[in-house]
Amino acid sequence: MAAMASVGLCRAADDARLKQRTEMVSEIAAIDAGAGVPNRSHGIAPGVLSVMRQVPRHEFVPDPQKPHAYENRPLPIGHGQTISQPYIVALMTDLLRVQPGDSVLEIGTGSGYQAAVLSQLARAVYTIEIIEPLGRQACDRLQRLAYRQVACKVGDGYYGWDEHAPYDAIVVTAAASHVPPPLIRQLKPGGRMVIPVGAQFLTQYLLLVEKSPDGSVSTRQILPVRFVPLVGKH
Ligand code: SAH
């Protein structure tokens, strides 16, 4: 009886969270429709929104933040870092146009949430975190939640992850002062990179960097954003 009652409680909690996630996704779609982001001809793809409806963001935040997990804002995850705002996660994922066979590199694992989202659209996700305890915790979490397509490591993501290069898509979730040349090298011709660039506390822009099939690189500003800085010795 007790076991059945607790199963019932879990199911009720799951249902409540699914409802919250569905509301979060409606909010993302509404912002997207109203944002009028220049240089974008379409809204966030339905496939991306459907993944956002499935990934349990509450599993990626510390206990005190769980009641806020489905609010459309960044939340603290310890070590002075944050899990990004859901709208920004959806937008960055959409800009990458990930295909099912793709191999994706993420710089800045943080909580592991963005990696989990990407892994539902790609063949493989490689993610690097510079703060060791955060990286280890995110890896454990991704394993526990059975996101098996994600491989993680602790290190300075400025230099990318040469072993698995080249990548169809690269996403950087911390703001850099410039686009790191090693990441451009590790991007496949025809590949796309999304990266916030700019100084901390000053205006940063989300950039879409595209490497054409002939290897030439073009960059487009998408919108002003605020990210924690990309740190390291580079
Ligand atoms: N993608 C994360 C958001 C992370 S915030 C999520 O979904 O939760 C950015 C992260 O980038 C922080 O955890 C920060 O420690 C990390 N970071 C900063 N500089 C880095 C670097 N040079 N290499 C790898 N990670 C870095």
Side-chain angles (χ1 to χ4, degrees), residues 13 29 44 52 62-63 92 124 126 144 168 176 182 210 234:
I44 292 170
M52 300 288 293
D63 282 345
M92 290 173 91
Y126 299 93
R144 175 170 59 79
D168 299 283
E210 291 178 273
H234 48 266

Side-chain angles (χ1 to χ4, degrees), residues 77 81-84 106-115 128-131 134 155-158 173-174 228-232 234:
I77 56 171
Q81 306 304 319
T82 54
I83 179 173
S84 306
E106 180 194 29
I107 309 306
T109 315
S111 67
Y113 177 70
Q114 171 84 74
I128 310 176
E129 170 58 51
I130 202 163
I131 300 179
L134 264 185
D156 186 347
Y158 181 92
T173 66
V228 296
L230 188 78
V231 298
H234 48 266

Side-chain angles (χ1 to χ4, degrees), residues 8 10-11 19-20 22 25 60 77 83 85 95 103 117 123 141 147 171 176 190 195 217-219 226 228:
C10 283
R11 203 163 289 153
K19 184 164 175 281
Q20 288 178 317
T22 304
V25 168
F60 293 83
I77 56 171
I83 179 173
Q85 179 190 0
L95 287 164
S103 164
V117 168
R123 174 180 57 79
R141 173 181 292 137
Y147 288 102
V171 62
I195 176 171
V217 173
S218 66
T219 298
R226 186 178 299 166
V228 296

Side-chain angles (χ1 to χ4, degrees), residues 8 12 20 23 25 29 32 72 84 95 111 117 128 140 142 149 154 161 173 179-183 186 195 224-225:
Q20 288 178 317
E23 284 164 8
V25 168
D32 193 45
N72 183 35
S84 306
L95 287 164
S111 67
V117 168
I128 310 176
D140 290 349
L142 288 161
Q149 309 89 315
V154 170
W161 194 340
T173 66
V179 182
L183 297 186
Q186 292 178 23
I195 176 171
V225 285

Side-chain angles (χ1 to χ4, degrees), residues 9-21:
L9 278 178
C10 283
R11 203 163 289 153
D14 284 350
D15 287 352
R17 286 186 176 124
L18 180 59
K19 184 164 175 281
Q20 288 178 317
R21 274 202 296 282

Side-chain angles (χ1 to χ4, degrees), residues 53-119:
R53 206 173 289 121
Q54 288 157 26
V55 178
R57 192 172 187 251
H58 66 276
E59 296 280 7
F60 293 83
V61 299
D63 282 345
Q65 299 300 333
K66 287 199 195 301
H68 308 293
Y70 296 109
E71 293 170 19
N72 183 35
R73 61 183 171 98
L75 295 171
I77 56 171
H79 302 271
Q81 306 304 319
T82 54
I83 179 173
S84 306
Q85 179 190 0
Y87 168 66
I88 293 292
V89 172
L91 178 66
M92 290 173 91
T93 305
D94 185 69
L95 287 164
L96 293 172
R97 297 222 193 116
V98 177
Q99 303 297 313
D102 283 359
S103 164
V104 182
L105 175 67
E106 180 194 29
I107 309 306
T109 315
S111 67
Y113 177 70
Q114 171 84 74
V117 168
L118 288 166
S119 76

